[in-house]
Amino acid sequence: MFRKKFTFKILIFLILSLITNANGLNEDYLQRRSDLLQKEEQLRLGANITLNEDEIKVNNTFMAFKNEELLIGFKNPKRNIPGIHFFKGISQMKADSKIYRFLKKMPKGAVLNLHAMSSVSSGWFTKNVSYTPGLWNCTNSTLTFRKKEDMNCTLVSEERKKYGSEYDKLFESLVNLYSRTPEVTYPNKRVVWDRYKTMYYTIFDALNYLPVFRAFHWRMLEELYNDNIMYAEIRLDFFPLYDENKKIYPANQSIIELLDIEKKFKEKYPEFFGIKLIHSIIRSHNDTIIKHQLKEFVNYQAAYPDFIIGLDMVGHEDRGRRLLDFVEDFNNLPNSTKFFFVAGETNRLGSTDLNLVDAMLLNATRIGYGYALNKHPVLMKEIKERDIAIEVCPISNQIQKLLLDLRNHPAAMFMSRNIPMVISNDAPGFWNAQGLSYDYYYAIMSLASNQDGLKTLKQLVWNSIKYSALSEEKKKKAEEMLQKQWNKFIKDILKDPDFKFSKHRRYTREERGRGERERKTSNYPKQN
């Protein structure tokens, strides 16, 4: 009796299925589904990019590697680099990820959010600055080349003798946030920022030593260049420098030095386009200091109008002064002043995030981080209409405890709605990173859709020039140089045996089944 009822139910199901197919309801549903997905796809960042024949071939290979890497992470969460903390995923990324190696080779245009004092890898700082003769490690881990009577100091060279081969690791820990267990070491955002401040104070005086200043900033350009970055807009403040004879130079000497470093670097590497400076004022300073620094900015920019391009307020946004406090001061600056305000680097709503409102009303050229922007739909629409780019710094946001899993980053929404944005790296030296490749990895593997490939990457790269502060004439030259670099990159990838994806690789039953299911249900348009 049970068997008859069961058989009858199967027959009814088959008949209904045949009727549904006959009426074309399934086809209609799938078509409507495909239409919706295509409409979304047309809104995404990179949707307007057209790939040529060679780029399509490269994209096919890239997507094959991307899908394979995502599948590995889907099967084993411990190996899911896009979904785990950077400190826990970096070794896997460098050892196993062909996506990372692809991105290392890819021209990345410009970096537009980079703080000079934390721009150079902690490894280089340790291997070079700590071996510079005359370096003292003083009270509260202050590094300096000018010991003072009231400071309790020890020569770093003597400390190295005392601790032996382990000393480099001890020294590097002074200037690196790395932790095997970041969730334990940094239980909240305030702890991270306190470490940031300590590290800045640790290296501040050593970096103002003229020989180190020169070597450090030359290395900054080398690390950018070695990661296929051709241009940078650097945030920094200008402080007096001193030399081995304890002679003190005025603060504008740092500008003169950077101009000379840039000139010599471009002579050695003609394909490097150059740098510009964004004067940064610490937002936690009192009114007197901030007003004084605003006057200094006006003087510096008047003296170096083609080199100092604008102004920012930096530091821990949640514990610092609001942009609203200085609106009158900003409005009294010369009309030519460009603002590159850090704003919305917070999880708070209706408080610190309101700096985003003032950044927009003050006609900011770009907005740094903009993490809280997705909570302000009207503001987000306005920023898109005004074409104000957001400087997205994925790794920095994660390290600062704004989020744990970068797949939940609000920039995923920016990409889906084609909000103007660029990928940047903020303070890579403090986690021993060089250049932009790590941040681009998370952009394409964590923030982007599974279907996003070379179109998305190319749009982000070109955005970095489009939203730079270069003049229109110089942007055109930079884009021409970038196009040549990009064309060479595409040809090199096509020839590179390391980026040949084998169509005959043996897949597991689970991989074949899941791949077939995704193929049938995705209905995304092919790259063209």
Side-chain angles (χ1 to χ4, degrees):
M1 185 69 179
F2 174 80
R3 183 175 293 178
K4 288 182 178 179
K5 288 183 178 180
F6 185 71
T7 304
F8 179 74
K9 287 181 179 179
I10 291 176
L11 287 171
I12 293 296
F13 174 79
L14 290 172
I15 291 169
L16 289 173
S17 297
L18 289 171
I19 293 171
T20 300
N21 287 332
N23 291 334
L25 296 178
N26 279 348
E27 288 80 0
D28 178 64
Y29 177 86
L30 291 174
Q31 184 59 52
R32 286 186 287 124
R33 185 176 186 275
S34 178
D35 291 345
L36 284 172
L37 290 172
Q38 288 196 36
K39 286 178 181 178
E40 282 200 340
E41 186 70 12
Q42 290 163 6
L43 293 176
R44 295 190 64 78
L45 184 147
N48 295 325
I49 293 287
T50 300
L51 301 180
N52 63 34
E53 187 175 341
D54 283 347
E55 288 173 325
I56 291 171
K57 292 176 183 176
V58 170
N59 182 64
N60 290 338
T61 300
F62 178 86
M63 292 305 298
F65 286 125
K66 177 178 177 176
N67 291 333
E68 183 177 44
E69 197 162 316
L70 289 172
L71 183 57
I72 290 170
F74 180 80
K75 292 168 61 179
N76 184 353
K78 290 183 179 180
R79 296 186 64 194
N80 186 18
I81 303 171
I84 60 179
H85 196 283
F86 173 69
F87 290 163
K88 296 183 177 183
I90 182 174
S91 58
Q92 277 182 230
M93 190 191 306
K94 292 170 73 174
D96 303 330
S97 174
K98 284 201 172 183
I99 297 299
Y100 170 71
R101 293 200 285 278
F102 179 96
L103 295 171
K104 281 287 293 179
K105 293 176 180 290
M106 184 183 78
K108 285 169 278 291
V111 56
L112 301 180
N113 185 322
L114 177 62
H115 295 271
M117 285 183 65
S118 50
S119 62
V120 175
S121 56
S122 58
W124 182 91
F125 190 92
T126 300
K127 293 294 184 182
N128 291 271
V129 177
S130 78
Y131 284 86
T132 303
L135 179 63
W136 297 86
N137 188 357
C138 299
T139 308
N140 298 325
S141 298
T142 299
L143 300 172
T144 184
F145 290 89
R146 48 181 174 184
K147 177 186 176 184
K148 297 179 182 179
E149 295 297 328
D150 58 344
M151 298 174 74
N152 181 18
C153 302
T154 307
L155 279 170
V156 168
S157 57
E158 294 300 318
E159 288 185 343
R160 182 171 281 107
K161 291 178 184 177
K162 178 180 177 181
Y163 291 101
S165 60
E166 292 297 309
Y167 184 75
D168 279 1
K169 290 182 180 179
L170 293 172
F171 185 92
E172 189 171 356
S173 68
L174 297 175
V175 291
N176 193 320
L177 284 159
Y178 174 78
S179 169
R180 290 183 179 179
T181 54
E183 67 279 1
V184 176
T185 306
Y186 307 111
N188 56 62
K189 187 179 178 184
R190 180 169 292 193
V191 174
V192 181
W193 267 101
D194 286 344
R195 273 285 288 145
Y196 261 98
K197 287 172 64 178
T198 299
M199 291 192 296
Y200 278 119
Y201 287 132
T202 294
I203 65 176
F204 172 78
D205 205 63
L207 290 185
N208 289 324
Y209 179 54
L210 191 54
V212 169
F213 184 92
R214 290 168 176 164
F216 182 89
H217 289 92
W218 181 273
R219 179 60 185 176
M220 175 184 76
L221 300 189
E222 280 186 334
E223 292 191 359
L224 296 176
Y225 179 79
N226 290 340
D227 199 46
N228 292 299
I229 296 163
M230 60 183 287
Y231 172 73
E233 294 180 0
I234 310 294
R235 284 168 162 87
L236 77 166
D237 198 353
F238 309 114
F239 294 99
L241 305 178
Y242 64 99
D243 64 17
E244 56 270 23
N245 299 316
K246 296 186 179 179
K247 177 182 176 180
I248 297 176
Y249 298 82
N252 71 327
Q253 184 67 30
S254 57
I255 305 172
I256 296 169
E257 293 293 335
L258 286 166
L259 276 166
D260 186 57
I261 290 167
E262 182 205 35
K263 178 185 175 183
K264 290 176 180 175
F265 195 86
K266 289 168 69 175
E267 288 173 354
K268 185 174 182 179
Y269 304 103
E271 58 273 44
F272 188 76
F273 203 75
I275 62 172
K276 304 290 183 185
L277 307 182
I278 298 171
H279 187 125
S280 299
I281 298 174
I282 298 175
R283 65 189 336 123
S284 59
H285 282 328
N286 61 42
D287 284 1
T288 302
I289 294 175
I290 289 177
K291 289 178 186 296
H292 172 71
Q293 290 195 322
L294 287 172
K295 289 180 181 178
E296 282 190 325
F297 161 72
V298 173
N299 293 332
Y300 291 148
Q301 191 173 48
Y304 307 96
D306 295 329
F307 196 50
I308 299 174
I309 56 174
L311 181 72
D312 187 17
M313 301 283 283
V314 300
H316 190 177
E317 203 177 348
D318 280 334
R319 296 165 73 180
R321 312 286 296 281
R322 304 291 186 261
L323 294 179
L324 185 61
D325 296 343
F326 301 99
V327 168
E328 186 176 344
D329 296 290
F330 295 145
N331 284 331
N332 288 332
L333 293 173
N335 292 334
S336 60
T337 301
K338 292 182 178 180
F339 297 118
F340 302 87
F341 289 128
V342 166
E345 191 183 18
T346 181
N347 282 321
R348 303 174 76 183
L349 179 59
S351 179
T352 309
D353 57 307
L354 298 182
N355 279 329
L356 286 164
V357 176
D358 296 300
M360 187 198 70
L361 292 176
L362 288 163
N363 297 314
T365 298
R366 292 192 307 271
I367 293 176
Y369 313 115
Y371 185 84
L373 181 62
N374 66 322
K375 299 174 182 177
H376 297 273
V378 174
L379 189 60
M380 187 156 55
K381 181 182 177 182
E382 187 79 13
I383 282 174
K384 183 173 182 178
E385 289 176 354
R386 294 192 184 196
D387 206 24
I388 301 171
I390 307 299
E391 302 162 351
V392 175
C393 303
I395 296 173
S396 175
N397 291 159
Q398 185 188 59
I399 289 174
Q400 288 183 32
K401 304 290 287 189
L402 288 172
L403 77 168
L404 296 175
D405 188 333
L406 280 166
R407 293 172 297 180
N408 297 325
H409 196 287
M413 179 185 291
F414 303 164
M415 294 176 83
S416 69
R417 298 187 179 187
N418 198 16
I419 302 296
M421 61 175 276
V422 295
I423 296 298
S424 205
N425 54 4
D426 188 28
F430 283 172
W431 39 91
N432 199 34
Q434 299 182 25
L436 278 172
S437 292
Y438 294 117
D439 286 278
Y440 261 91
Y441 177 90
Y442 287 103
I444 198 64
M445 298 297 284
S446 303
L447 311 183
S449 162
N450 283 11
Q451 286 75 26
D452 288 341
L454 199 63
K455 282 187 173 186
T456 303
L457 290 170
K458 190 173 183 179
Q459 184 69 71
L460 288 170
V461 170
W462 257 258
N463 276 1
S464 72
I465 301 299
K466 175 182 178 181
Y467 294 109
S468 73
L470 292 168
S471 66
E472 291 305 313
E473 181 183 354
K474 288 185 177 179
K475 280 183 184 179
K476 185 177 179 180
K477 290 181 180 178
E479 287 174 347
E480 289 172 357
M481 184 181 290
L482 177 59
Q483 187 65 60
K484 290 179 182 178
Q485 294 176 7
W486 183 268
N487 293 343
K488 183 179 183 302
F489 160 69
I490 294 296
K491 292 185 182 302
D492 289 347
I493 288 291
L494 289 173
K495 296 174 185 177
D496 193 334
D498 193 39
F499 292 97
K500 300 294 183 185
F501 189 83
S502 174
K503 295 182 180 179
H504 305 293
R505 188 175 72 85
R506 297 187 66 173
Y507 292 88
T508 65
R509 182 182 299 176
E510 180 183 348
E511 288 176 316
R512 289 196 301 270
R514 184 167 180 267
E516 182 65 15
R517 288 194 298 275
E518 290 188 349
R519 184 187 68 78
K520 288 181 177 180
T521 59
S522 67
N523 289 311
Y524 273 86
K526 295 180 180 179
Q527 301 274 5
N528 55 34

